[in-house]
Amino acid sequence: MKTSNLGYPRIGGHRELKRACETYWSGKTSLGDLLETGKRIRKENWMLQHEKGIDLIPSNDFSFYDQVLDTTLMVGAVPKRYFDVKESQGNLMDLYFAMARGYQKEEMDVIAMEMTKWFDTNYHYIVPEFEKDQEFGLLSTKIIDEFNEAKALGIQTKPVLLGPVTYLLLGKEKEDGFHRLDLLPKLLPVYHILLEKLVEAGATWVQMDEPILATDLTAGEQEAITKVYQEIAEKFPSLKILLASYFEGFGDNLDTVLSLPVCAIHLDLKRSPDLLDKVLVSGKLEEKTSLSLGVIDGRNVWKNDFAHSLEYIQKAKKQLGEERVIISPSCSLLHVPNDLDLETHGKTLPLEVKDWMAFAKQKLEELQSLKTLAGIPEYTSHQLFKDNLASMEKRKDSTRIHRPKVKQRVKHLNESDFWRTSPFEKRKVLQAAHLKLPLFPTTTIGSFPQTPEVRQARSLFKKGSLDGQEYVEFLKKETAKAISFQEEIGLDVPVHGEFERNDMVEYFGEQLEGFAFTQNGWVQSYGSRCVKPPIIFGDVSRPKPMTVFWTAFAQSLTEKPVKGMLTGPVTILQWSFVRDDQARSITCNQIALAILDEVVDLEKAGIQIIQVDEPAIREGLPLRKKNWKAYLDWAIGAFKLSTSGVEDSTQIHTHMCYSEFNDIIKDIADMDADVITIECSRSQMELLDAFSEFDYPNDIGPGVYDIHSPRVPSSDEILELLKKAQNVLPASKLWVNPDCGLKTRGWKETKEALKTMVSAARQMRDTVGHPSH
C-alpha cells in the first residue's frame, strides 16, 4: 500500500512566492532572486513530504503563476501578439508573465490573456488561446528540470502533467472554422517528447491530470482520451501513469476511464462518495490497475474522519489486494493553507475549533496515519484511531456550533421572502426619478487601492499600536480623498473605497457569528493574489450592522448617491471553508438572512443604491448539468432572500467576474438585480453574446477595462468596447464600469484609467444625443 500526494501549496508558509513575484514585477529584485525563491519553496515542500513518509511525491506542481499557463509555455502555444515581447525580453519568465498580466512598456502595449475559474474552485487559470493553424513545440522544460532538481536532493518524484485533452478543452478557439480538439494530433508529439525525456531522466511514475473527466464529455471527447493513453502506453510501456481526475465522479465517462491502459486511477471520494462502489461493482477494472483513493479532503480544512476513510481503504484492500491500493487526498492540496501549526492566536481561531482542523501539512500526517492503521487488523484499539474518534465526537456535540434562533428563522421562511414588491419595469421608473442618473452612468465595482499606508494602518491597529480613534480618523481621511477624487472626475455613482476592509469575504465573516479566522491560512487565488478564507464552523447570524457607518459617512460627503457595498451569501459561502455537517443550502440561507439585515439597515440610513456582489454564483455550479437545477434553485434563492427586503426605489446591483454566463443566463435574470456588472474586457465583450441571444430584462454594466493588469487602457479602447456593447444591448440599459474592484491596483494607474473611462462614457452620451448631466 502506498501514499500519494497530488500537489502541494506553492506560495510558501508565509506567502514568500507572492512577495518574490511582486518585488520582481516592480523591478526591485532580479530574475535570479525570483528563481531562487521558487527553488527554496520547492525544496521545502519536497523535504516535508519525504519526512512525512509520502511514497509518491509530486513535482511540477509548483508554478510561478498558474499550472495551465505553465503548460501553454511548455507546449509553445504562445499567442502571436506576444512574439515581440518574446524577442525584446529574451527570457521565458517575462514572456510568461506578459501573457498572465499584459505588457505595457515603451511603445509596446499588449493585453493579458483571459482568466477564468478552475472548474468549481476559487482558483483562476489563464485560458489558452488557439488558432486554426496552431503549431506546438517544446518551449519550456520546466517539468524535467524540476524532476532533476528533486532527484539531486535524493528524492524520486512523480512529475505532474496537465493532460492534453483537458488542456485543449480548457482553452478557446480565437477564430471560426475548427474545434480546439482538432489540434490533438499536433499537440500529442510534444507530450511524447516530454515523457521520453522524463523516462531518460529516471522517472517511473507520472501523474496525468485530466479533471475534464469530471464533466459531461461527448463521445468524440471520450475517444480522444482513449487515443491519448493508448498511444502513451504503446510508446512508454515501462512508465507508470497515474490518471487523476477530481472535483466529481466520472459519470458517463466511467467505462472510458476503466478501459484505459494506465497503472492507477485516482478517485475523488470526497466529492463522489459512491465512486469506489461503482468501480468495484462494474467488474471492468483491469486486473493490474491500482486505485488511488482520495479519502482526505483536499479542498476543505476539516480533520479527516479515520473511521469513514478506513471503510473505503479496507473495502478496496479486500477486493484488490494491498499492493493495488494508494491512499491520497481527494485533489491537490493547492486549495488549503500550508500548516495549522502556524496558528497560535486563540481569539480568532479558538483551540476547540482548531482541534477539528487539518491544513496541508497535517493532511500529509493523516495520510501516513491511515496507512499505519490500515495495516493493523484491530485498528480501532490503536491510539491514533482513538484520538481521531474523540475529536470527531467533540465537534459533533459542541455548543459553539448550534444556535436555535438561527435555525428557527431559516425554518420559517416563506415564498414571499424571496421576491421584491414590484417587477423591474416599475422599479426602474421609480429609480430613474429618484436617482436622476445620465445615460451610460459610470461607477466602479467598489474597492479602491489598498496602499501600503492603508495596510500598515490596519496592521498597527490590529497589533494595538494605533488606537481606535486614530484608526477611524485615518480611514475617514482616506474615504474623503476617494469621494473627492470621484467627484472631481465626474463619476456618477461613487463608492466609499472599502479602506477599512481586508478582504471582501473575511471582512464580513469577522463580524458574523459562526465564523473563525486564521493568521496564516493563505491560499492562492491566481498569480500572486492570495486570500485567507474564513472558516464557517457553526450557525451564522449578524449581531450588529457591519457597513452602515462607513457608507453613511461617505454619503455625508457628497450629493451623489453613494453605493453601499456588500458581499453576497453565495460568494461568502463559496469563498470560505464551509462546515460539512449540514447542507450548504442551509448555511447559505443563514448567511443570506444576515446580509438581508444589513441591506435593510443601509436603506434606513439613506443609501439608495446597494450592491451585493455574487462573483461566485457561476463558480459553484456543479460540474454535471443534471445537478445544476438543484444548486441554482437555492443559490439564486439565497441572493433574492438577501436583497428582497427593500423598497422599489432602492436600486440593487450585483457583480460577477471571470465566469461563463451563456449556459445560465436565464438563472442570472431570475436573480432580478436592477443592475448587473460583469467582467468583459479580457474577452473583448465576448461574454455579452449571452445577453444578445437572451432578452435580458434588467440593466447591465459590462466591464470596460481589465483591473487585473497594471496597464492603463486608451480612450479608443474603452469606446470600442462600449460600442460593441451597444450593438448588443440598448443604450438605456448600459452602465460603464471596470471589470472588478481596484484594491490591488496603484492610485496612479487607477486615476488615469477612471478618468479615461468617464471621458469615454461622456463621448458615448454625445453620440446618441444625450448630453452629460
Side-chain angles (χ1 to χ4, degrees):
M1 189 179 300
K2 289 183 172 62
T3 54
S4 172
N5 186 25
L6 274 63
Y8 202 75
R10 57 212 186 197
I11 58 175
H14 297 280
R15 294 181 293 163
E16 296 92 331
L17 185 62
K18 171 187 174 66
R19 295 184 181 90
C21 284
E22 291 178 355
T23 54
Y24 174 66
W25 295 337
S26 65
K28 296 176 183 176
T29 54
S30 69
L31 178 59
D33 294 328
L34 175 64
L35 297 177
E36 184 59 34
T37 298
K39 186 175 182 179
R40 187 165 59 251
I41 292 172
R42 291 193 295 272
K43 179 180 178 180
E44 289 172 359
N45 288 353
W46 289 327
M47 295 303 292
L48 175 65
Q49 292 173 85
H50 182 67
E51 290 165 8
K52 297 301 179 184
I54 305 303
D55 298 307
L56 300 178
I57 297 171
S59 60
N60 200 44
D61 55 330
F62 175 85
S63 176
F64 281 104
Y65 204 94
D66 153 45
Q67 72 271 15
V68 183
L69 183 61
D70 289 350
T71 308
T72 294
L73 190 69
M74 178 185 77
V75 302
V78 178
K80 292 175 182 175
R81 66 181 178 277
Y82 298 104
F83 284 8
D84 288 343
V85 178
K86 181 182 177 184
E87 291 298 320
S88 68
Q89 294 305 298
N91 72 73
L92 290 181
M93 286 306 298
D94 285 341
L95 168 64
Y96 175 82
F97 288 134
M99 290 191 288
R101 306 176 68 243
Y103 190 87
Q104 193 172 44
K105 194 173 182 180
E106 297 167 351
E107 295 182 358
M108 207 178 300
D109 187 0
V110 188
I111 63 171
M113 294 172 72
E114 188 178 342
M115 182 165 64
T116 196
K117 296 295 178 71
W118 174 250
F119 294 88
D120 60 350
T121 74
N122 186 31
Y123 177 79
H124 303 65
Y125 73 92
I126 301 296
V127 180
E129 299 177 8
F130 303 121
E131 296 181 345
K132 192 173 183 179
D133 62 350
Q134 184 75 49
E135 295 295 333
F136 300 98
L138 184 59
L139 184 59
S140 165
T141 57
K142 173 182 177 292
I143 185 172
I144 299 141
D145 299 339
E146 292 182 7
F147 175 79
N148 286 327
E149 189 180 312
K151 195 174 179 182
L153 296 170
I155 299 175
Q156 176 78 9
T157 60
K158 164 177 53 82
V160 180
L161 259 173
L162 181 61
V165 176
T166 295
Y167 173 68
L168 288 173
L169 292 179
L170 289 179
K172 280 188 175 181
E173 301 91 349
K174 301 309 288 185
E175 58 182 333
D176 296 332
F178 80 108
H179 188 279
R180 54 200 181 279
L181 207 54
D182 298 340
L183 301 174
L184 188 60
K186 288 185 175 182
L187 179 62
L188 266 183
V190 182
Y191 274 78
H192 294 162
I193 292 169
L194 280 166
L195 292 174
E196 184 176 353
K197 288 182 179 294
L198 285 170
V199 170
E200 290 172 355
T204 54
W205 281 91
V206 171
Q207 177 181 315
M208 299 290 287
D209 281 5
E210 293 280 12
I212 206 71
L213 287 164
T215 67
D216 298 315
L217 297 183
T218 65
E221 290 162 349
Q222 291 175 350
E223 288 172 12
I225 289 279
T226 300
K227 173 183 171 62
V228 165
Y229 292 95
Q230 283 179 345
E231 286 195 17
I232 289 174
E234 290 169 7
K235 290 181 179 292
F236 308 98
S238 65
L239 191 60
K240 297 179 180 180
I241 298 295
L242 190 159
L243 181 73
S245 181
Y246 29 80
F247 306 150
E248 244 296 355
F250 294 117
D252 293 339
N253 305 321
L254 181 59
D255 286 350
T256 297
V257 171
L258 295 180
S259 71
L260 298 176
V262 295
C263 189
I265 297 169
H266 177 71
L267 313 179
D268 184 341
L269 297 177
K270 298 306 293 185
R271 283 300 185 92
S272 185
D274 61 348
L275 184 54
L276 177 60
D277 285 339
K278 288 180 178 179
V279 170
L280 295 178
V281 168
S282 72
K284 295 181 180 180
L285 185 69
E286 295 291 328
E287 287 186 8
K288 294 183 179 180
T289 305
S290 299
L291 289 181
S292 168
L293 308 181
V295 292
I296 290 175
D297 197 339
R299 286 184 58 174
N300 214 332
V301 295
W302 304 113
K303 185 178 287 187
N304 185 257
D305 183 342
F306 285 178
H308 188 59
S309 294
L310 285 163
E311 288 179 12
Y312 284 119
I313 295 167
Q314 296 298 344
K315 182 181 291 185
K317 181 179 170 183
K318 182 178 180 181
Q319 187 155 333
L320 304 178
E322 184 175 313
E323 70 283 353
R324 291 173 62 194
V325 176
I326 302 170
I327 309 172
S328 309
S330 60
C331 62
S332 169
L333 298 178
L334 168 71
H335 308 286
V336 295
N338 275 58
D339 185 3
L340 188 62
D341 292 340
L342 298 176
E343 302 304 320
T344 57
H345 199 308
K347 288 185 178 180
T348 54
L349 184 61
L351 288 176
E352 182 182 4
V353 178
K354 182 180 176 181
D355 180 61
W356 306 334
M357 296 164 58
F359 290 178
K361 176 184 170 184
Q362 288 69 39
K363 290 176 188 292
L364 298 178
E365 294 166 353
E366 289 180 331
L367 281 175
Q368 190 58 32
S369 295
L370 286 171
K371 182 180 178 180
T372 298
L373 292 169
I376 300 172
E378 300 297 327
Y379 61 79
T380 56
S381 60
H382 195 284
Q383 195 61 45
L384 280 173
F385 185 87
K386 290 181 177 179
D387 290 346
N388 179 264
L389 182 63
S391 184
M392 295 296 112
E393 292 299 320
K394 285 178 184 177
R395 181 185 171 197
K396 186 170 66 174
D397 298 334
S398 173
T399 55
R400 284 183 179 271
I401 292 176
H402 305 289
R403 299 177 183 274
K405 287 184 179 179
V406 177
K407 294 182 189 299
Q408 286 299 312
R409 191 177 179 193
V410 171
K411 186 177 179 180
H412 291 128
L413 288 171
N414 56 60
E415 190 174 350
S416 64
D417 294 316
F418 296 84
W419 292 95
R420 297 285 295 273
T421 304
S422 303
F424 172 71
E425 292 78 9
K426 181 178 178 181
R427 301 198 308 263
K428 181 163 184 172
V429 173
L430 289 171
Q431 291 163 15
H434 196 49
L435 297 170
K436 297 181 173 61
L437 295 172
L439 203 62
F440 298 103
T442 55
T443 189
T444 68
I445 303 307
S447 59
F448 272 123
Q450 293 263 325
T451 62
E453 293 78 15
V454 170
R455 292 195 298 271
Q456 183 184 34
R458 184 185 304 123
S459 176
L460 291 172
F461 172 64
K462 285 191 172 183
K463 292 175 182 176
S465 303
L466 187 69
D467 71 36
Q469 190 55 44
E470 288 177 311
Y471 185 51
V472 167
E473 290 305 316
F474 170 81
L475 292 175
K476 282 185 173 181
K477 289 177 182 177
E478 293 297 314
T479 304
K481 284 191 288 187
I483 292 293
S484 177
F485 163 68
Q486 292 170 87
E487 287 207 310
E488 176 189 323
I489 66 170
L491 203 73
D492 299 303
V493 177
V495 295
H496 80 284
E498 304 180 18
F499 302 108
E500 78 284 5
R501 304 185 190 183
N502 45 11
D503 176 82
M504 66 180 290
V505 172
E506 186 176 8
Y507 176 78
F508 289 95
E510 286 175 340
Q511 301 180 78
L512 295 170
E513 300 287 351
F515 283 75
F517 301 88
T518 62
Q519 294 167 276
N520 295 288
W522 298 99
V523 293
Q524 186 180 26
S525 179
Y526 64 88
S528 67
R529 169 71 169 149
C530 299
V531 293
K532 192 148 56 75
I535 296 149
I536 305 176
F537 68 86
D539 291 333
V540 177
S541 61
R542 185 198 76 146
K544 61 182 179 181
M546 302 179 286
T547 68
V548 175
F549 175 83
W550 287 111
T551 312
F553 171 72
Q555 185 63 80
S556 72
L557 303 175
T558 179
E559 295 297 319
K560 293 184 175 183
V562 171
K563 184 166 57 172
M565 300 300 308
L566 304 173
T567 302
V570 179
T571 299
I572 291 177
L573 183 88
Q574 286 291 129
W575 292 359
S576 300
F577 292 119
V578 184
R579 59 188 292 191
D580 57 359
D581 61 336
Q582 73 176 12
R584 290 171 70 87
S585 58
I586 295 174
T587 303
C588 199
N589 274 345
Q590 290 179 355
I591 302 169
L593 287 169
I595 299 300
L596 170 64
D597 293 343
E598 188 71 14
V599 167
V600 170
D601 280 349
L602 281 169
E603 184 182 57
K604 289 177 181 176
I607 305 305
Q608 305 166 71
I609 302 177
I610 303 169
Q611 181 170 307
V612 180
D613 287 343
E614 283 292 20
I617 284 269
R618 178 63 174 82
E619 169 191 315
L621 200 64
L623 299 182
R624 299 197 180 278
K625 287 190 176 180
K626 68 178 183 179
N627 300 322
W628 284 12
K629 186 180 185 303
Y631 162 76
L632 288 166
D633 282 351
W634 66 256
I636 301 300
F639 174 83
K640 292 166 71 173
L641 174 61
S642 70
T643 57
S644 295
V646 294
E647 299 294 329
D648 289 342
S649 58
T650 297
Q651 192 174 75
I652 295 292
H653 290 222
T654 192
H655 172 69
M656 298 179 182
C657 56
Y658 298 103
S659 293
E660 301 290 347
F661 302 114
N662 305 51
D663 41 14
I664 60 164
I665 188 64
K666 184 181 181 300
D667 301 282
I668 291 173
D670 288 344
M671 292 171 72
D672 198 27
D674 297 303
V675 182
I676 178 175
T677 54
I678 57 173
E679 175 274 324
C680 269
S681 67
R682 278 203 181 198
S683 65
Q684 296 294 297
M685 293 288 169
E686 280 181 12
L687 287 175
L688 282 186
D689 291 345
F691 295 88
S692 65
E693 295 166 8
F694 173 80
D695 186 15
Y696 189 78
N698 301 12
D699 290 357
I700 305 171
V704 294
Y705 79 89
D706 174 25
I707 65 86
H708 292 88
S709 169
R711 65 182 295 276
V712 175
S714 67
S715 179
D716 287 345
E717 189 178 322
I718 292 179
L719 280 170
E720 183 181 350
L721 291 176
L722 285 172
K723 287 172 183 175
K724 281 186 178 181
Q726 194 180 356
N727 289 335
V728 175
L729 296 160
S732 60
K733 288 189 174 185
L734 286 171
W735 282 63
V736 182
N737 46 262
D739 271 347
C740 204
L742 298 161
K743 68 178 291 186
T744 61
R745 299 271 54 91
W747 265 112
K748 184 176 183 296
E749 68 206 54
T750 294
K751 287 183 176 181
E752 290 179 21
L754 289 180
K755 286 176 184 177
T756 303
M757 185 187 82
V758 171
S759 174
R762 286 172 174 162
Q763 291 180 63
M764 288 298 293
R765 290 169 200 158
D766 292 341
T767 62
V768 295
H770 194 296
S772 303
H773 281 201

